[in-house]
Each structure stands twice: as structure tokens, then as C-alpha cells.
Amino acid sequence: ALLAVCSGAYGADEPPKKEYVALAPVIVTASRTAETADETLASVTVITREDIERSQALSVQEVLRGLAGISIANNGGLGKNTSVFLRGTESDHVLVLIDGIKVGSATLGQAAFQDFPMEQIERIEVVRGPRSSLY
């Protein structure tokens, strides 16, 4: 009986171990079916919250600056008008969706990247090429 009491007390001192399983990033497509990044045929770049925190970027344009096929024009410092160009197109050709809703100015036709709060961004997906026309 003494052995059973001692073994129970020993096991109670150890905290339960948690195991985490790393999942492949899921990309939301225009057909509303989830695909992993390696299954999609389009040129897609996914920037997660961890990537944003690791880069210590203060604005969306700083996060997008190093991506392939993206050019950024900024008229000053933080908070000034920012335009994003994808693969040589005009800035009003870039479609910006936030939670599936189109965002942009009715007069300029482009999104105000300088006004997006970095604290509220969970992930950024950049879709290039003909697959983006589905959106």
C-alpha cells in the first residue's frame, strides 16, 4: 500500500505534457475550397502572423517590400499614400480583400495600404498570375 501512495505522489508533481502538431498552411481559393500551399498551381505567397512579428515591420508596405513581383511607391513616411503594383500592372488593378470583402477607394480605385493596422493582421496572401482572375 505504501508503494502505491508513493508512486501516485511522484506522478502528481509532473505537469502534463502537451504535444503540438504542425499543420500545412491552408490557402483560401476563389472556389471556396481550401487547398494547401503545395497543392495550388498558382503562384501564392502566404505571410503569417509569426512572419510579420519576426520581421518587426511597422506597416503593410514593409511586409510586402521584399516579395517577388511586387513594387511599392510611397509618398513620404508612415501614414502617407502608398501604392502597390503587382508585376507591372497599375495600382488600381490590385484587388485587396479583407475577410472576403473588397476594399478600395471609390475615386482612386486602390486600397489605402498605409491605413491597415498591423496589430489586426492575421495573415496576408498574395496571389499572382491568371489564377487571381477568379477572385
Side-chain angles (χ1 to χ4, degrees):
L2 184 60
L3 183 60
V5 173
C6 291
S7 65
Y10 176 73
D13 292 340
E14 294 180 15
K17 295 181 181 179
K18 295 181 182 180
E19 294 185 26
Y20 295 101
V21 177
L23 300 175
V26 175
I27 298 170
V28 178
T29 63
S31 62
R32 297 183 185 230
T33 58
E35 295 179 354
T36 59
D38 57 347
E39 290 176 346
T40 183
L41 298 175
S43 174
V44 178
T45 303
V46 178
I47 303 168
T48 62
R49 183 71 203 164
E50 291 80 26
D51 296 333
I52 294 171
E53 289 175 357
R54 195 175 316 119
S55 70
Q56 298 179 356
L58 298 176
S59 62
V60 175
Q61 58 264 25
E62 287 182 18
V63 173
L64 298 176
R65 183 151 296 170
L67 298 179
I70 294 182
S71 300
I72 297 174
N74 192 340
N75 296 333
L78 289 174
K80 300 297 182 184
N81 186 25
T82 301
S83 300
V84 175
F85 306 90
L86 277 169
R87 294 196 175 181
T89 62
E90 296 180 18
S91 62
D92 57 347
H93 292 169
V94 176
L95 175 63
V96 178
L97 301 173
I98 297 179
D99 295 333
I101 300 171
K102 182 179 177 180
V103 180
S105 169
T107 56
L108 297 176
Q110 63 185 15
F113 287 94
Q114 69 275 4
D115 295 332
F116 295 152
M118 289 298 295
E119 310 81 41
Q120 296 181 357
I121 296 176
E122 179 183 334
R123 62 191 275 149
I124 299 172
E125 295 181 13
V126 179
V127 181
R128 302 173 193 85
R131 180 84 183 250
S132 63
S133 64
L134 295 175
Y135 290 90

